[in-house]
Amino acid sequence: MPNRSTDALFQLVKSLEKSEKRNFKLFVKRNSSSENLKTIQLFDALDRMSEYDEPALLKKNRSISKQQLSNLKAQLYRQILSSLRIIRDEDNIDMRLHEQIDYARILYNKGLYLQSLKALDRLKDIARAHHQVSYLQQALFFEKKIEAMYITRSMQNRAEQISQEADEVSNTLSLINRLSNLSLQLYSWYIQHGHARNENDIKSIRLFFDTSMPPEASHARGFYERLYYYQSHCWYAFIRIDFLQYYRYSQRWVDLFEKHPEMIAVETASYIKGLHNLASAHFDLLNHEKLAETIRVFEKFARTKLVTQNDNNRILTYQYLYTARINLYFLQGTFHKGLLMVPHLEEMLKEYGLYLDTHRVLVFYYKIACLYFGSGDNEKAIDYLNRIINQKSGLRSDLQCYARLLHLIAHYELGNFDLLEYLIKSVYRYMSKMESLSKVEEEMFAFLRRSFHVGAHALKPEFERLLNKLRKYENNPLERRAFAYLDVISWLESKIHNVNVQDVIRERYKRRARKADVTGNNQIS
């Protein structure tokens, strides 16, 4: 079957809105050469296709030969980007700054050096207002070039001032670069491995963090320095499953944008990511009220033009809002409400499949599987877990491990004992190979092996014994990972009381809510 994600031009055409398509055709028809008319023909052909299929494309468009196609596609790709640049110009701070650089260059080439310097001054003012340090560096570099080659007499002590500015900008950029590298490398570690698996992981990630964090970073006051500083601490805490620190730095991440509201339009995707991490932190700390509050803030922001008129921001917001809502259903034990979202989720995964990264899709599959498992539909849970198990992406080895473990438990629930002996050995080998076996998981495997030889009448005491054993590990930092991925405590309680997992969680949620009400009333009185 043709793979629609393999052709970059096809992806670009399919991402266009109606107004953008109309603008593109007006842009191309300004010079109606035969070559341009062929690119429009190619554009229309791609626009009509639901999947990219090159043989079918050539068959239906006889005027385009196979030899011409590659050059036509390259020309069409450039024309689409050029047309988009025109209509997106005012929406993007980078484009505004590039425009000022272009103006300065044009004036310089005309020999109008003082006017060129004025354009660079405007650029610097805009760049400083939006913390765009790299553009300051470009402007200063250009200024030095003009001052070194021509006597402009623009002001006294110009050389000293430019040199000092350049040194300050260079030092700032160096710190931003080191912090952004650290943040990216920590996030990459998490995407590959997930949470820390053992003491060795914790020691190695701590050593890397301590040696990579610039000592002056904690005193920096610039927007981007603070942003990457908070992000680095955020990923570091999340990897170590220190959810309290994860929450603190996620909150600081969001607060930074609240202090610099002008930067929300400049770094919208990063603001969205910050809200996502804050919502995730509330979920990890079991704070349903704060999670619901963050979702309301997120939903309000999702209705702004920054989201509705930008494809990337809209897709990111959809992903993270769905995740946050599912997490709230988990906390409240209302899995049946979460299941009502699954058709919409599937539709989103299909509609935006070109733009979603594999990691995010795997997370959605796991959360959907947990919804079905918690509501008692183990067969549907297995269907979604198989999508993860069959994915050969090399990402999230932790998710692969726990998908297999939950897959095993779902088969246990269905009574597929003919498969279980093989699955137990297979999953045990896989998790051992990945160095993912904790004491909690060892206990679970031992229980599952024993359960083959225990009659149905004796299973309840076995569940109770396992529950008592696992409760001892709940506050162990090295065992926290297992509970973060799989709520085995709720599963065991559901087996003991003969109810679904969501019923156990729902009752626990009600008890917390009643306790919060009593505490609140006492404080008021």
Side-chain angles (χ1 to χ4, degrees):
M1 186 176 75
N3 186 351
R4 65 188 297 219
S5 65
T6 58
D7 189 83
L9 176 60
F10 181 77
Q11 291 181 24
L12 180 59
V13 170
K14 287 298 180 182
S15 72
L16 300 179
E17 299 171 3
K18 285 184 179 179
S19 60
E20 293 169 333
K21 293 174 185 178
R22 184 169 58 253
N23 181 75
F24 161 74
K25 291 189 176 181
L26 291 171
F27 176 81
V28 174
K29 287 178 180 177
R30 289 182 309 177
N31 298 307
S32 56
S33 66
S34 59
E35 200 68 18
N36 281 339
L37 293 177
K38 277 195 175 182
T39 59
I40 291 179
Q41 184 183 347
L42 176 58
F43 177 87
D44 289 336
L46 290 170
D47 192 29
R48 286 193 296 266
M49 297 175 79
S50 57
E51 302 283 348
Y52 182 71
D53 188 339
E54 194 164 294
L57 175 68
L58 292 169
K59 186 177 180 180
K60 291 181 179 180
N61 299 272
R62 299 289 186 181
S63 63
I64 300 175
S65 68
K66 188 174 179 63
Q67 291 75 20
Q68 290 177 313
L69 185 59
S70 179
N71 287 335
L72 277 176
K73 286 174 68 176
Q75 183 182 348
L76 176 56
Y77 194 91
R78 288 193 301 270
Q79 288 177 330
I80 293 173
L81 290 180
S82 296
S83 70
L84 288 173
R85 192 184 189 283
I86 292 173
I87 60 174
R88 295 288 186 183
D89 199 18
E90 295 180 0
D91 299 334
N92 191 296
I93 189 64
D94 293 292
M95 290 184 178
R96 286 173 59 194
L97 291 167
H98 271 298
E99 183 181 61
Q100 289 299 320
I101 290 177
D102 291 343
Y103 290 164
R105 172 62 65 181
I106 291 168
L107 293 167
Y108 170 82
N109 290 340
K110 289 287 186 183
L112 303 171
Y113 310 125
L114 290 176
Q115 291 186 45
S116 180
L117 288 171
K118 286 182 179 179
L120 291 174
D121 282 338
R122 286 194 293 272
L123 185 155
K124 288 163 65 176
D125 288 341
I126 298 170
R128 287 192 188 98
H130 296 88
H131 308 275
Q132 300 301 300
V133 188
S134 63
Y135 287 98
L136 278 177
Q137 188 180 52
Q138 292 181 58
L140 288 164
F141 184 82
F142 202 170
E143 276 188 297
K144 285 194 288 185
K145 181 176 180 178
I146 296 173
E147 294 289 349
M149 294 182 68
Y150 306 98
I151 301 173
T152 63
R153 294 177 183 165
S154 52
M155 66 177 294
Q156 293 180 340
N157 302 319
R158 184 70 170 172
E160 290 80 2
Q161 181 180 334
I162 294 177
S163 298
Q164 184 179 347
E165 278 187 78
D167 286 341
E168 290 173 359
V169 167
S170 181
N171 291 335
T172 299
L173 275 175
S174 176
L175 180 56
I176 291 172
N177 185 55
R178 290 158 68 192
L179 286 168
S180 62
N181 284 347
L182 175 58
S183 172
L184 179 62
Q185 287 170 304
L186 288 168
Y187 186 58
S188 177
W189 195 99
Y190 172 71
I191 294 298
Q192 291 296 322
H193 308 289
H195 295 298
R197 296 163 291 185
N198 46 48
E199 188 63 43
N200 287 335
D201 275 353
I202 290 176
K203 285 181 179 177
S204 65
I205 206 72
R206 181 184 296 128
L207 178 64
F208 172 72
F209 182 83
D210 290 343
T211 55
S212 302
M213 175 61 73
E216 68 272 27
S218 61
H219 305 295
R221 288 293 172 263
F223 176 84
Y224 282 102
E225 298 96 300
R226 303 308 297 169
L227 177 63
Y228 292 124
Y229 180 76
Y230 296 150
Q231 286 182 0
S232 297
H233 275 280
C234 197
W235 304 136
Y236 178 54
F238 195 55
I239 288 169
R240 294 181 298 112
I241 322 182
D242 185 345
F243 292 140
L244 187 57
Q245 284 293 89
Y246 175 50
Y247 155 70
R248 286 171 178 164
Y249 282 98
S250 295
Q251 185 67 66
R252 290 175 189 177
W253 179 342
V254 174
D255 288 345
L256 181 66
F257 280 96
E258 300 299 330
K259 291 175 184 175
H260 299 275
E262 75 282 358
M263 294 304 294
I264 295 177
V266 179
E267 293 289 347
T268 311
S270 187
Y271 176 64
I272 292 168
K273 187 82 172 180
L275 285 174
H276 162 64
N277 279 282
L278 182 58
S280 296
H282 289 316
F283 169 68
D284 292 326
L285 291 171
L286 307 180
N287 193 334
H288 67 274
E289 289 183 352
K290 286 292 184 180
L291 175 54
E293 181 183 317
T294 304
I295 289 173
R296 287 193 292 272
V297 171
F298 217 152
E299 289 173 335
K300 182 180 179 181
F301 181 68
R303 294 189 290 271
T304 64
K305 289 183 179 180
L306 286 174
V307 175
T308 59
Q309 296 183 3
N310 183 288
D311 296 332
N312 181 58
N313 296 338
R314 186 167 63 250
I315 293 165
L316 286 174
T317 301
Y318 283 170
Q319 292 179 60
Y320 295 143
L321 261 179
Y322 273 121
T323 301
R325 288 165 179 159
I326 290 173
N327 285 343
L328 185 59
Y329 293 137
F330 281 152
L331 287 188
Q332 295 174 340
T334 52
F335 288 39
H336 58 286
K337 288 185 180 179
L339 289 174
L340 296 176
M341 293 174 59
V342 172
H344 302 289
L345 259 175
E346 286 283 15
E347 187 178 328
M348 185 199 75
L349 293 173
K350 183 178 180 181
E351 182 178 357
Y352 299 115
L354 289 173
Y355 316 102
L356 300 179
D357 61 86
T358 304
H359 160 252
R360 182 55 49 190
V361 174
L362 292 178
V363 170
F364 274 128
Y365 287 159
Y366 189 76
K367 288 190 175 293
I368 294 172
C370 289
L371 285 173
Y372 279 114
F373 177 78
S375 62
D377 191 340
N378 293 288
E379 290 183 351
K380 289 292 289 184
I382 289 170
D383 287 343
Y384 280 93
L385 293 168
N386 280 333
R387 297 188 192 186
I388 301 172
I389 294 167
N390 295 330
Q391 175 65 245
K392 309 298 181 186
S393 66
L395 297 176
R396 294 296 301 272
S397 59
D398 58 329
L399 206 57
Q400 288 284 349
C401 288
Y402 285 96
R404 283 165 168 78
L405 187 54
L406 184 57
H407 181 262
L408 172 61
I409 295 172
H411 277 292
Y412 177 86
E413 287 282 87
L414 290 170
N416 295 331
F417 296 109
D418 52 331
L419 283 174
L420 279 176
E421 189 168 0
Y422 162 76
L423 285 175
I424 288 172
K425 291 177 181 178
S426 173
V427 176
Y428 189 87
R429 277 197 308 270
Y430 184 90
M431 295 186 74
S432 296
K433 184 180 176 182
M434 294 292 177
E435 299 180 6
S436 289
L437 275 171
S438 65
K439 291 178 182 177
V440 169
E441 288 134 16
E442 291 277 13
E443 291 285 0
M444 290 180 66
F445 279 114
F447 163 78
L448 290 168
R449 289 192 193 97
R450 286 197 311 272
S451 67
F452 283 121
H453 312 290
V454 176
H457 65 284
L459 271 177
K460 185 174 178 179
E462 287 291 324
F463 283 123
E464 290 173 341
R465 273 191 287 273
L466 178 59
L467 179 60
N468 290 331
K469 285 182 180 179
L470 297 189
R471 284 197 185 282
K472 297 174 184 176
Y473 297 116
E474 279 190 287
N475 296 318
N476 185 328
L478 291 176
E479 299 298 322
R480 209 176 288 154
R481 180 175 185 255
F483 298 111
Y485 285 95
L486 189 61
D487 191 353
V488 65
I489 298 295
S490 295
W491 175 63
L492 290 170
E493 289 181 354
S494 76
K495 300 305 293 181
I496 292 167
H497 299 293
N498 196 30
V499 295
N500 288 328
V501 172
Q502 70 169 345
D503 298 322
V504 172
I505 297 173
R506 180 68 180 165
E507 188 54 40
R508 194 183 301 145
Y509 162 74
K510 288 179 178 178
R511 286 199 300 270
R512 284 200 305 268
R514 285 195 294 269
K515 184 178 179 181
D517 286 342
V518 170
T519 304
N521 289 335
N522 288 340
Q523 289 174 344
I524 292 170
S525 60

